[in-house]
Structure formats: C-alpha cells, structure tokens
C-alpha cells in the first residue's frame, strides 16, 4: 500500500502540471460578462477572432504561451464574475478559499490513442485539441425546389479511429489556423517546414486508418494556402524552377536545406506541388507527412473545379469527404486512383516462417506483388525496352472516336429536329466490375484455341467480319473495319464470338494466374460516386423524368460536393490511365526504362482489359438500340453517344416497355455506373454541319457553339 508521503507527492505532481481551462461555454460566459468582444480578446492575445471562436466552442485549445495568458485572464474574470450562486471568493462549489479565486472547472482529459505498428510513437505528446461533435449531416444539403424524399439507405460510416481524432488532413492558413474535417480548426504554431512536420506527427492527431488489414495507414496531409506557404518560407508561386519532370524547388533552396538539416528526406520528385517529407521507418513505425501547396496548382482545376479558390474550411470539407469516401489524396487524382488499387489490394501480408517461426512479409494472394513485371511485346508501349526490335504490331485497345459517314445519313434522320447526346456514367468503372485480369507474367503460345475466360492478348484476323456500316466496328477505336490480323484483348475477341463469328488466333500472350484484382477498387469508387450523387439529390429512386430534371441543376446544390463528384470521376479515368503511364522529359530516348516501369502497377494489359470491355459494352448497347428502336448513332466519343431525335430529350427515343419500364439491353437513365445521363442537346443541322467538316459532334454537344478551328 502506498504511503501518505507517496500519495502527496503524486498529488503535488498533478498540481504542477500545466494550467487547465474551464469548459468552452464558461469561457464565453466570462468574456461576455466582462463586456469584451472576441475580436478584442484576439488582439490582446495576438491571435485571430476565428481562433478565439474555436476556443469558445470547443473546436480547439490554445497552446503555450497563449495558454498561460488565457488562463490568467479567465481566472481574473472568474474572480470578478463568479457563477450564479457563488459570492465573493467562494469557488464554483461554494467552498471558501483564502487564497484567491477557486480553481476553474477542468476540461475532461482526452484519452491517448494507442499507436499502430506503422505510426510514429511521439515522446510525451501534448493532448490533442478537443474535437467538436460531428454535425448530424454535414454532407447532405437539402435539395431546393424538389419534393422531399427519404434518403437511400447506405452503410453506416465506420467510427472514427481514436489514433486519428482530427481526421486525415488539414488546410493551413497564414495565421496558423489548420482547418480540418467536420469544422475542426487546430492551432498550428509552426513557422518552418520541419516544425510543421514535427507538429503534424506529434501533436495534430491527423491520419487515416488503413483500407485493408494488410495495408498501411494513410499518412497525414497538410494542404498549404498561399499565405501558409509564404509563412513557411516557400515562394507563393512555383515559377522558373522547372527541373526534370515537373516543377519543384531547386536543391539549394533554403526550405530544402532546412528539411535536410533537420534530418528529414524528400522523395525523388523533390519539393513540388505534392511533396512527401519522411524519415526511414524504424521498428516498423512510419514517419511521413504529405504536403500539398494550393498556389502551386496542387489541385488541378479539371479534377477539382473551383476548389483552389475556396476558403480553407471549404477546401478541407471537399478533401475530407474525398478522403473519407475514396482515399487521402496523395497527388493528382490519377495518382490517388492508382494508390487506391494498392491500398485495397496490398502486395504483402504477414506470414509465419516455417523454420524460425517469425512473422515475415509474404505475397498477398490476388495482389500484383512487390516487383515490377514486364508486359508482352505487343502489350507494351513502342518506347518500352521489350518492344525494341519488335515488328509484330501492338495492342490498340482504346475508347471509341467514331463519326458516321455523312452519306450514310438518311433523309428521315436529317429531318429530325434534334441531336441528343447521352453520356455513360463512369463507363470505365462499370467495366472494372467483376473483371478478370492476369496477375502473373505472360506466356507465349502458337495457334492457341481461344478461351474467353483467359485474360491476355490474341493475334487474330477479324477483318472478315462485316457489320452494319451505320454502326462503328467494335474491333477498332476509330470504328473502321480491320484490314488484317491484329492484336486484341480477350474481351474484344470474345465479343466477335458473341456476334456469331468464328475466331482462330495465330498466337497469344496469356497469363496463367488470374483474379478480379479491381473488384474492391470498383466497389469503393462506385459507392463514393453513388453516395455523392445522392447527397446532391440524385437518388436511384427517381423516375426518369425526375432524374433528368434534377441533373440539370444538381451541381448548383453544393459546389463542394460537385467538386468531390468530379474528383471521383477523375480518379477512375486517371487511375486506369496510370496503368500505362509513358515516359516524360525531353531527354528520354526510346529503349530506356522510365520511373513508372518500376511500379508493380504499371500494367498496360489491365488497362487494355478495362477499355476493351468498356468499348464492347458500348457497342452492345448500340446494337440493341438499333434492334429495338431502329435508331443509329451519329457519333461516339469514349462514353458519349449522339443520336438523332424527334424531341429535345432522351425520353423521346429511349426504348420503354408498355408498362413504362426501360427495356433491358439498351441505354437506361440513372445515377449508377454504366447508366446514362443527358450530355447535351443541339439542332440536328448543327450536328450534320460538324460531321461534314470532319468534327465529332459527341465532343462538342455539351458546350454548344464550340471552337472548331482546333481540330479533334
């Protein structure tokens, strides 16, 4: 049993700890009782009005030296303005004290999270700032002008990880306010990049849990506004520093030297719009922080429309929703799309060594592994080392870019008043569903028997297949009939069989180990896409008429959510594109390896499988539409198709049954991947005029009068 002396020593140690503040509501009461405004208090404490607001609503807590000064002020006010029912120097519980005002109520202590194996264990961390309770529905604004609907049921979001109480990221402003998810604002005292990294890892409580049990937790992301960049010693704009592949600070820049002097490292891409500052992992603990500089165009306007010009809190909301539904951004949306594949299919898992009994990293079945894999020569880019000297042709699985020959237009079609464009929602994502791809290296075969269940590349002659000239050929991106043997992905050859034609491959590169590698990637992005659309009022229970009406203005409902929606779509296309990333830089020479080839996810064969399936899916719908309605497309561009129409709405030509239900097999309206939405409507004469000039109406149908002197 502890002695009295030991107990008193423990109590004295508690008394010597830092000052404790009263609850937020009491802080606000005392200030208002003193007749002091938040702005005046902020001026006295050399802070900002927003920071004082955060202290008084529990979003953040002050740090030394402001903490001691604020405590002294509150103690003084507490003596002058005691709570109701106290008198003179009586404390809050009515006990008399002869040593001045009674101590103020203590803020409940924040429990310390237990570190995961891949997170930094900080030495004696300061308690993280208090988290404001999450609003009931911060991401689902009401839809003006439409009838109220019960929101679609969705899986409950996982409980916040106690190791990361403040979410995955913050947006840092020039005054040291760090805006996080759900309205949280933290005080960041850092004035240099090394201090910012230390604060992030030790005090901020930022990060995100792994998406797969065999994966790694997401590193915290700090997004810097222009003012924050300047405060940290960075240039406001990154101009005139072009080196190697992209814009980045030169190695002799003072900030880069600061980082190096503090024994932190930068990745090979250096300090650019997206930078990773890290130390090599020790005993399995990661020490890494991601930085994104807004004024250096870290958020591409095409993928994040309008986000760069938003207020920091709104930027944090956009990126926070994306991080929660997709992944903490790690670069461009293309980079994030590729990283998401690895996060959901980690290359390794813990396995027990039979001899030593120790747990060691081992291959995770269904993943792409840890080592890069060269493609077969016809699957590679022409610059690739394995393609040097190869004369057997290359796989050309790309999306449609086709326009019907004008002489094939009928008088009846030309007399129709409108050209209506339909766009398939995330067509590549729909194609990734239940897609079997190769996981092992390719093996070469001569005169193999075609098997539609084996992913790979087949050299086969499909030029004898004759189809309706009013439809594009499904075997080429241009829609033109093949002229001889060529390389095709499995789905393209299987579709030739589906159309009733015999196929006799001359050779093939096939993979023995296969799997649905992209399934979890598809599932997560599909959920993110559908949920974000639902938050914008576009739900699956809408009728087709209601769907078209809501889609006209859904982006105006909430610009932040609209930006998330665009980013999700860009993640799909960019992630697929990254599977075949090419060399960059004017000094590259054919035959040299480039950095992307060192990734296990450099897999042009998987990209070809996605695009082949998407193109086949599109063609199948075109054939079914012609069979059910007698209508033929004017043009196709990737996932957009233009039809002549008697009315200015898809409802005038889409096939419906007598009961009013959409006919299966054709284009159907709706919010899900693979379903269609209205892309645009123009006069039929406008479309014919573009076709006669050699332009693709599907490219311009959304924008109306397009600039036509730039070519296609």
């Amino acid at each position: 049993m502890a002695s009295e002396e030991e107990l008193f020593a423990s109590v004295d140690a508690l008394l010597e700890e830092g000052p404790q503040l009263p609850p937020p509501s009491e802080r606000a009461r005392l200030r208002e009782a003193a007749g002091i405004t938040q702005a005046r208090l902020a001026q006295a404490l050399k802070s900002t009005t927003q920071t004082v607001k955060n202290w008084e609503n529990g979003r953040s807590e002050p740090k030394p030296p402001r903490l001691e000064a604020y405590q002294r002020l509150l103690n003084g006010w507490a003596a002058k303005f005691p709570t109701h029912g106290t008198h003179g120097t009586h404390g809050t519980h009515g006990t008399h004290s002869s040593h001045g005002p009674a101590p103020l109520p203590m803020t409940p202590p924040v429990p310390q999270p237990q570190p995961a194996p891949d997170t930094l264990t900080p030495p004696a961390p300061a308690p993280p700032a208090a988290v404001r309770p999450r609003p009931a529905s911060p991401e689902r604004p009401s839809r003006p002008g439409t009838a109220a609907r019960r929101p679609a049921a969705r899986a409950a979001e996982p409980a916040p990880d106690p190791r990361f109480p403040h979410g995955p990221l913050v947006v840092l402003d020039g005054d040291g306010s760090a805006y996080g998810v759900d309205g949280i604002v933290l005080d960041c005292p850092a004035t240099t990049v090394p201090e910012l990294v230390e604060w992030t890892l030790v005090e901020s409580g930022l990060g995100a849990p792994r998406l797969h049990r065999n994966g790694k937790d997401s590193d915290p992301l700090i997004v810097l506004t222009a003012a924050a960049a300047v405060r940290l010693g960075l240039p406001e704009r990154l101009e005139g520093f072009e080196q190697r592949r992209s814009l980045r600070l030169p190695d002799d820049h003072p900030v880069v030297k600061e980082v190096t002097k503090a024994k932190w490292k930068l990745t090979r891409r250096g300090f650019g719009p997206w930078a990773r500052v890290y130390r090599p992992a020790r005993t399995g603990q990661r020490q890494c922080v991601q930085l994104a500089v807004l004024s250096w165009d870290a958020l591409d306007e095409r993928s994040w429309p309008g986000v760069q010009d938003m207020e920091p809190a709104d930027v944090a909301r956009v990126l926070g929703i994306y991080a929660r539904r997709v992944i903490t951004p790690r670069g461009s949306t293309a980079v994030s799309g590729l990283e998401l594949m690895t996060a959901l299919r980690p290359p390794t898992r813990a396995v027990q060594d039979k001899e030593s009994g120790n747990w060691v990293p081992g291959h995770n079945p269904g993943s792409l592994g840890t080592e890069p894999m060269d493609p077969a020569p016809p699957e590679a880019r022409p610059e690739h080392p394995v393609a040097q000297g190869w004369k057997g042709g290359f796989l050309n699985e790309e999306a449609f870019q086709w326009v019907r020959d004008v002489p094939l237009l009928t008088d009846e079609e030309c007399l129709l008043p409108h050209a209506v464009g339909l766009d398939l929602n995330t067509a590549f994502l729909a194609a990734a569903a239940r897609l079997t791809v190769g996981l092992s290296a390719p093996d070469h075969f001569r005169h193999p028997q075609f098997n539609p269940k084996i992913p790979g590349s087949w050299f086969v002659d499909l030029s004898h297949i004759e189809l309706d000239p009013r439809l594009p050929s499904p075997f080429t991106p241009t829609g033109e009939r093949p002229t001889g043997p060529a390389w095709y992905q499995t789905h393209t050859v299987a579709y030739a069989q589906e159309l009733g034609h015999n196929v006799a491959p001359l050779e093939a590169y096939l993979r023995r180990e296969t799997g649905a590698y992209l399934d979890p990637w598809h599932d997560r992005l599909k959920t993110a896409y559908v949920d974000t659309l639902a938050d914008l009022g576009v739900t699956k229970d809408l009728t087709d008429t209601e769907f078209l009406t809501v889609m006209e203005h859904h982006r105006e409902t909430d610009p932040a959510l609209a930006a998330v929606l665009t980013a999700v779509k860009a993640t799909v296309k960019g992630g697929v594109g990254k599977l075949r990333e090419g060399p960059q830089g004017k000094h590259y020479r054919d035959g040299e390896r480039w950095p992307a080839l060192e990734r296990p996810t450099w897999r042009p064969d998987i990209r070809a499988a996605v695009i082949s399936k998407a193109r086949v899916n599109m063609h199948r719908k075109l054939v079914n539409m012609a069979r059910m309605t007698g209508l033929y497309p004017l043009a196709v561009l990737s996932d957009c198709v233009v039809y002549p129409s008697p009315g200015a709405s898809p409802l005038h030509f889409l096939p419906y049954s007598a009961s009013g239900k959409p006919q299966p097999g054709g284009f159907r309206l709706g919010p899900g991947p693979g379903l269609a939405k209205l892309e645009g409507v123009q006069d039929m004469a406008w479309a014919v005029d573009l076709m006669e000039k050699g332009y693709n109406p599907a490219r311009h149908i959304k924008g109306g009068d397009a600039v036509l002197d730039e070519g296609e």
Side-chain angles (χ1 to χ4, degrees):
M1 180 179 294
S3 66
E4 182 178 349
E5 183 178 356
E6 290 173 336
L7 292 174
F8 274 86
S10 298
V11 171
D12 290 339
L14 292 176
L15 292 174
E16 292 174 1
E17 287 187 1
Q20 299 291 337
L21 298 177
S25 59
E26 178 65 3
R27 305 171 200 175
R29 185 195 72 80
L30 291 172
R31 178 186 54 75
E32 292 169 354
I36 302 299
T37 65
Q38 290 176 329
R40 186 176 175 189
L41 175 57
Q43 184 179 12
L45 294 177
K46 309 299 182 186
S47 186
T48 65
T49 303
Q50 181 62 52
T51 298
V52 172
K53 290 180 180 178
N54 296 335
W55 295 344
E56 292 185 356
N57 60 27
R59 291 182 182 175
S60 68
E61 296 290 323
K63 302 289 190 300
R66 291 189 182 93
L67 175 59
E68 291 79 2
Y70 192 32
Q71 172 72 25
R72 181 177 180 181
L73 177 61
L74 292 175
N75 279 337
W77 281 341
K80 291 183 179 181
F81 313 106
T83 56
H84 182 70
T86 61
H87 305 280
T89 58
H90 285 69
T92 57
H93 295 286
T95 57
H96 181 76
S97 170
S98 60
H99 302 286
L104 292 165
M106 295 176 60
T107 302
V110 179
Q112 293 301 306
Q114 295 299 316
D118 62 342
T119 57
L120 175 67
T121 304
V131 182
R132 178 180 64 84
R134 181 176 299 180
S137 183
E139 300 168 14
R140 300 173 192 169
S142 59
R143 178 160 38 112
T146 59
R149 287 181 171 271
R150 184 181 299 275
R154 68 175 66 170
E157 292 183 351
D161 193 310
R163 296 172 298 145
F164 311 116
H166 295 153
L169 57 90
V170 292
V171 180
L172 184 62
D173 208 344
D175 64 357
S177 296
Y179 298 82
V181 299
D182 296 333
I184 294 171
V185 185
L186 308 176
D187 285 319
C188 177
T191 57
T192 67
V193 170
E195 289 178 358
L196 176 61
V197 172
E198 294 285 354
W199 173 83
T200 303
L201 293 173
V202 177
E203 298 183 43
S204 70
L206 295 173
R210 63 200 69 191
L211 298 179
H212 188 281
R213 62 177 182 172
N214 294 322
K216 298 177 181 178
D217 295 333
S218 289
D219 299 316
L221 169 63
I222 309 295
V223 181
L224 305 178
T225 62
V230 172
R231 181 186 183 188
L232 296 171
L234 299 167
E236 182 174 348
R237 299 291 305 174
L238 191 59
E239 298 173 348
F241 292 131
E242 187 168 4
Q243 293 184 2
R244 297 182 185 177
R245 297 175 57 197
S246 59
L247 291 174
R248 51 183 260 180
L249 292 179
D251 293 339
D252 60 355
H253 190 276
V255 171
V256 177
K257 289 184 176 180
E258 281 180 351
V259 171
T260 304
K261 185 177 180 181
K263 301 190 183 305
W264 291 99
K265 296 180 179 292
L266 296 167
T267 57
R268 284 192 304 177
R269 61 182 173 184
F271 206 122
W274 288 89
R276 295 177 72 86
V277 184
Y278 73 99
R279 284 178 181 152
R282 292 178 298 181
T283 64
Q285 297 171 354
R286 290 171 62 82
Q287 301 182 75
C288 183
V289 175
Q290 301 177 99
L291 302 176
V293 188
L294 288 177
S295 58
W296 295 3
D297 298 324
L299 299 180
D300 191 312
E301 178 68 18
R302 293 168 297 180
S303 301
W304 303 96
V307 176
Q308 186 166 295
D309 298 326
M310 291 181 179
E311 294 298 320
D314 295 323
V315 176
R317 178 172 176 246
V318 171
L319 297 180
I321 296 172
Y322 179 89
R324 184 177 297 153
R325 296 183 176 181
V326 181
I327 194 173
T328 303
R330 303 186 183 186
S332 66
T333 48
V335 169
S336 297
L338 199 66
E339 291 286 341
L340 181 63
M341 295 180 193
T342 303
L344 294 170
R345 290 279 199 190
T348 61
R349 64 171 180 170
V351 297
Q352 194 168 24
D353 184 71
K354 293 182 179 179
E355 296 182 0
S356 66
N358 296 328
W359 290 93
V360 296
H363 176 66
N364 187 27
S367 75
L368 298 182
T370 59
E371 297 299 324
M373 183 184 300
D374 282 340
E379 297 169 344
R381 300 177 67 102
E383 314 96 308
H384 197 286
V386 303
Q388 302 310 298
W390 172 257
K391 300 184 185 302
F394 294 94
L395 202 64
N396 187 25
E397 296 288 9
E398 301 294 341
F400 273 131
Q401 294 192 51
W402 171 83
V403 180
R404 201 198 316 176
D405 290 338
V406 174
L408 295 177
L409 294 176
T410 65
D411 292 340
E412 291 79 4
E413 288 176 321
C414 292
L415 291 175
L416 290 173
H418 299 288
V420 176
L422 291 176
D423 179 75
L424 294 183
N425 302 321
T426 56
F428 289 169
L429 185 61
R434 299 179 297 279
L435 176 67
T436 301
V437 300
L439 301 177
S440 56
D443 293 324
H444 187 228
F445 297 87
R446 293 283 184 185
H447 299 285
Q449 181 177 357
F450 178 69
N451 187 332
K453 295 183 179 180
I454 300 179
S457 302
W458 309 78
F459 191 63
V460 60
D461 190 351
L462 302 179
S463 62
H464 62 283
I465 300 177
E466 186 173 354
L467 300 173
D468 193 311
R470 292 171 292 180
L471 293 174
S473 167
F475 310 125
T476 65
T478 61
E480 298 176 354
R481 185 173 173 175
T483 57
W487 288 97
Y488 300 99
Q489 202 276 336
T490 298
H491 281 87
T492 304
V493 184
Y495 187 57
Q497 268 194 343
E498 180 183 326
L499 294 175
H501 301 279
N502 294 325
V503 294
L506 303 175
E507 59 179 311
Y509 284 92
L510 309 176
R511 289 168 169 80
R512 299 180 186 276
E513 184 182 346
T514 64
Y517 173 72
L518 293 175
D519 261 9
W521 185 80
H522 162 271
D523 294 347
R524 186 166 178 86
L525 285 170
K526 176 184 177 181
T527 300
Y529 179 78
V530 172
D531 284 356
T532 306
L533 265 179
D535 290 340
L536 288 167
V538 187
T539 56
K540 62 182 180 181
D541 59 340
L542 297 172
T543 66
D544 284 1
T545 301
E546 290 172 332
F547 171 76
L548 292 173
T549 301
V550 174
M551 285 296 291
E552 288 182 10
H553 305 291
H554 74 288
R555 289 186 169 274
E556 302 167 11
T557 303
D558 187 329
L561 282 171
V564 174
L565 186 68
T566 300
V568 171
K569 293 193 292 185
T571 302
V572 174
K573 284 194 174 182
V576 172
K578 274 283 186 179
L579 294 168
R580 192 177 179 261
E581 183 179 4
Q584 301 181 36
K586 59 184 178 182
H587 300 298
Y588 175 78
R589 297 292 180 269
D590 287 356
E592 298 175 349
R593 295 188 69 84
W594 59 92
L597 300 187
E598 306 311 314
R599 297 192 311 249
T601 49
W602 196 85
R603 291 294 302 271
D605 57 299
I606 296 180
R607 174 185 178 273
V610 173
I611 297 178
S612 169
K613 185 178 175 183
R615 197 180 66 244
V616 164
N617 287 347
M618 171 66 83
H619 194 272
R620 189 180 289 112
K621 293 180 185 297
L622 298 177
V623 171
N624 289 336
M625 282 288 291
R627 176 177 53 83
M628 291 186 288
T629 67
L631 289 178
Y632 292 85
L634 301 176
V636 183
L637 181 69
S638 186
D639 49 10
C640 178
V641 56
V642 178
Y643 275 101
S645 172
S649 168
L651 300 177
H652 288 96
F653 64 88
L654 289 180
Y656 291 88
S657 66
S659 62
K661 294 184 178 180
Q663 292 279 24
F667 294 100
R668 296 178 56 188
L669 299 176
L675 299 181
K677 62 179 180 292
L678 178 64
E679 180 72 1
V681 180
Q682 299 295 333
D683 293 338
M684 183 64 181
W686 171 91
V688 173
D689 183 53
L690 259 64
M691 295 167 70
E692 289 177 338
K693 294 177 179 178
Y695 296 103
N696 191 325
R699 185 183 298 276
H700 306 290
I701 190 121
K702 185 175 183 178
D705 295 332
V707 179
L708 299 181
D709 57 358
E710 297 179 355
E712 298 287 50

